[in-house]
Amino acid sequence: MSLKEKIDIERLPNHVAIIMDGNGRWAKSKGKERFCGHQEGVESVRVIAETAAELGIQYLTLYAFSKENWNRPTEEVNALMNLLVMTLESELETFKKNGIKLDVIGDIDNLPQESRTALSNVMAATESFNRMTMVLALSYSARWEIVNAIRNIAIDVENQQLNSEMINEKIFTKYLTTCNIPDPELLIRTSGEYRISNFLLWQLAYTELFFSQKYWPEFRREEFYEAVVDFQGRERRFGKTSEQIKGK
Ligand code: FPP
């Protein structure tokens, strides 16, 4: 039985989030420049987006550039931003062919104008697609997002648009950049690192975690199927007992 055949289509994770790690190490292991790793990483982005859409996953969130990544050498930051623009322009057909809608989370105002234009063009062109939403986390960090939400809540309280008594988890969630997106059910991190790295800290509260030893450029169809099969073998208890879950 192939890995794909082992997947129960009725119990797919609704939202898969991925920390795409190991582009640089993959390149080094092949004696290539770091940039080659990012280029090969884009191939994985395409394959995984297609695979997830074909399976019937509703949301795929990719950690493409963190706030901390701004501290990388300027050359690498510029190369990544250019790669993003080139990829968005060249992959519009992939979005269309697969019915994928593009969304973005993060401190977008910080991105170069060219990147923002490329993003809004693809978002506008894919707005009506509903097979799967691909969310790119760009200039994103969860602590930034949470502080930003708190600031906006404070502003609304000050303007009397919100009463402090009303603040609860549901209201708080509406102030996050992910307000229209359900929490991930599965988080994948590649390259054998076991960290969350400031990604979706609020949203990952009950998410199942899957760590792959493969570098991101090597993470393709079979690796994705493996993560989904592993997810389907988990018992999700949300703080309840195993007996409560089985008896429900
Ligand atoms: C992590 O590898 C990867 C990134 C910081 C960038 C991810 C970007 C891409 C896959 C390409 C652009 C994306 C899109 C959506 C067009 P690393 O550089 O941290 O690897 P290392 O830990 O081995 O150095």
Side-chain angles (χ1 to χ4, degrees), residues 20-26 34 37-39 41-42 45 62-66 69 72 76 80 83-84 87-88 134 136 191 193 215-216:
M20 309 181 289
D21 197 10
N23 292 352
R25 277 164 287 161
W26 177 86
R34 288 181 62 80
H38 296 315
Q39 275 180 320
V42 170
V45 170
L62 302 175
Y63 204 4
F65 195 85
S66 71
N69 286 154
R72 290 194 174 193
E76 184 168 345
L80 275 169
L83 185 61
L84 174 71
T87 306
L88 286 169
M134 183 171 111
L136 285 184
S191 89
E193 302 285 349
Y215 293 136
W216 176 247

Side-chain angles (χ1 to χ4, degrees), residues 42-51 53-54 86-102 122 125-126 129 131-132 134 221:
V42 170
E43 298 298 312
S44 291
V45 170
R46 186 194 307 110
V47 172
I48 297 306
E50 287 185 337
T51 308
E54 280 164 21
M86 274 162 43
T87 306
L88 286 169
E89 285 170 359
S90 64
E91 295 297 330
L92 186 55
E93 271 316 302
T94 309
F95 283 97
K96 288 186 175 167
K97 199 175 78 194
N98 294 281
I100 302 173
K101 175 179 170 167
L102 178 71
V122 178
T126 62
F129 298 161
R131 191 169 174 214
M132 184 181 84
M134 183 171 111
R221 275 180 187 270

